[in-house]
Every structure is written in C-alpha cells, then in structure tokens.
Amino acid sequence: MFEATTILAYRGENRAVIGGDGQVTFGNAVLKSNATKIRTLHHGEILAGFAGSTADAFTLFDMFEGILNEKKGDLLKSVIEFSKKWRQDKMLRQLEAMMLVLNKEHIFILSGNGDVVEPEDGRIAAIGSGGNFALSAARALDRHASLDPLELVRESLIIAGELCIYTNTNIKTLELS
C-alpha cells in the first residue's frame, strides 16, 4: 500500500458521511496540513474521497463525475463503468490511487486494478495508509458508542491521526442527510 492519506466513509440511517485528514506528504516531509481530499459530486448527491496524488485526484474525480452524469446519478452503474475505464486506460491504471464513493444507499471502494468493493457490512469503508486504523476505530465506535455518524467519522479519523504518521488530525467532513 502506498503512503498517502486517510479517508473514512460511514452510511447510517438515511445519512452518509465522509471524512479525510488534511496531511500531504512528500517522502518523509509534510508539505501541507490542511488539504481537502473529499468532495460532493453530482448535484450534492454523491460523496467521494481520494487517496493518492492531487493531480490524479482531479483527473479521476472529473472522470467519475462525467460518468455519473451519463448514468443520471446511478451510483452502482457509475462505479462499474468508471472501474472499466480506469482499468483500461494505460496511464490511469498505473496510478497508486484509490477512491471511496457513497450515497445514502451504497458505499464503494474503487481502484485502478478494477476493484469495485462494497464493504461486507455495507456501512463503513476506509482507504489510505491510515485507513485500517480509522476503520477499526469506526467499527468499535459503531458497536459500542452512541455517536451520530458525523461524530463517529470525526473521532475515528482523529484516532487514525494519532497512530498513522501519514495522517493528521486536521479533519474535514461532508454529509448527506
């Protein structure tokens, strides 16, 4: 896995939340601590986050949003089509990048290898170098605490930021409700 960022997504009852840290690293140096790695797509109906380089993020977000528009916002059809195009493009498939996309009904992890993964529980997913830390924290908080989805994502990312050297605690979140 590449050393990148941490993005965490959570789907609750009629709510979807995505969050990401703000750290941008180059080798062993922090270049920026307040980057935004998440965004809303397709008229604010889809949330997306990215782990990888900034230039790649803009390219892939634009490509994915174009497909969302073609598919009239149908997330399932869009992730399948996007995955095919990402995998077939010789340049794009070489990227060490991942995307996490969700709406109120679905959540998917996407990669240039052609992966379209819907988490087993259908509720929580994470990507990036701190992703497993954030995922573990989110699962524990989901099972044993009474936090609303926004708080759950924020607290899980803070825990990941305390453990992963490529993740900081400058957390940004977006929500669909």
Side-chain angles (χ1 to χ4, degrees):
M1 184 64 189
F2 54 95
E3 297 159 347
T5 192
T6 303
I7 304 294
L8 175 68
Y10 179 86
R11 264 189 352 90
E13 289 295 317
N14 295 317
R15 290 174 77 184
V17 178
I18 194 165
D21 75 309
Q23 185 162 291
V24 175
T25 56
F26 185 74
N28 63 356
V30 175
L31 295 180
K32 186 174 182 174
S33 64
N34 65 346
T36 301
K37 303 167 188 177
I38 56 174
R39 65 166 49 173
T40 59
L41 301 173
H42 194 70
H43 316 294
E45 298 170 3
I46 307 289
L47 301 175
F50 183 84
S53 79
T54 305
D56 298 342
F58 288 120
T59 300
L60 292 171
F61 278 144
D62 288 346
M63 186 172 125
F64 186 66
E65 187 150 41
I67 293 168
L68 275 170
N69 290 333
E70 287 173 19
K71 303 293 181 189
K72 297 178 176 47
D74 185 316
L75 186 58
L76 181 57
K77 289 180 181 177
S78 297
V79 297
I80 292 167
E81 182 65 23
F82 175 74
S83 181
K84 284 191 237 177
K85 286 187 177 185
W86 190 358
R87 177 73 177 140
Q88 291 170 350
D89 187 292
K90 287 182 183 183
M91 295 297 288
L92 293 179
R93 74 174 174 235
Q94 300 302 316
L95 302 178
E96 289 189 356
M98 296 183 83
M99 286 180 65
L100 209 163
V101 296
L102 71 154
N103 61 14
K104 293 179 193 174
E105 293 82 34
H106 297 283
I107 182 169
F108 296 102
I109 299 169
L110 310 172
S111 80
N113 293 330
D115 298 316
V116 176
V117 178
E118 190 164 21
E120 189 172 326
D121 65 6
R123 296 170 44 91
I124 307 170
I127 58 173
S129 56
N132 286 334
F133 298 119
L135 181 62
S136 297
R139 285 180 178 169
L141 291 171
D142 188 46
R143 290 179 190 153
H144 303 291
S146 298
L147 299 175
D148 81 4
L150 193 63
E151 291 174 296
L152 184 141
V153 167
R154 186 172 283 123
E155 290 301 318
S156 299
L157 286 166
I158 288 170
I159 291 167
E162 292 169 350
L163 298 172
C164 177
I165 61 171
Y166 297 103
T167 303
N168 69 12
T169 57
N170 188 353
I171 308 302
K172 294 188 169 103
T173 57
L174 294 171
E175 179 177 14
L176 301 175
S177 54

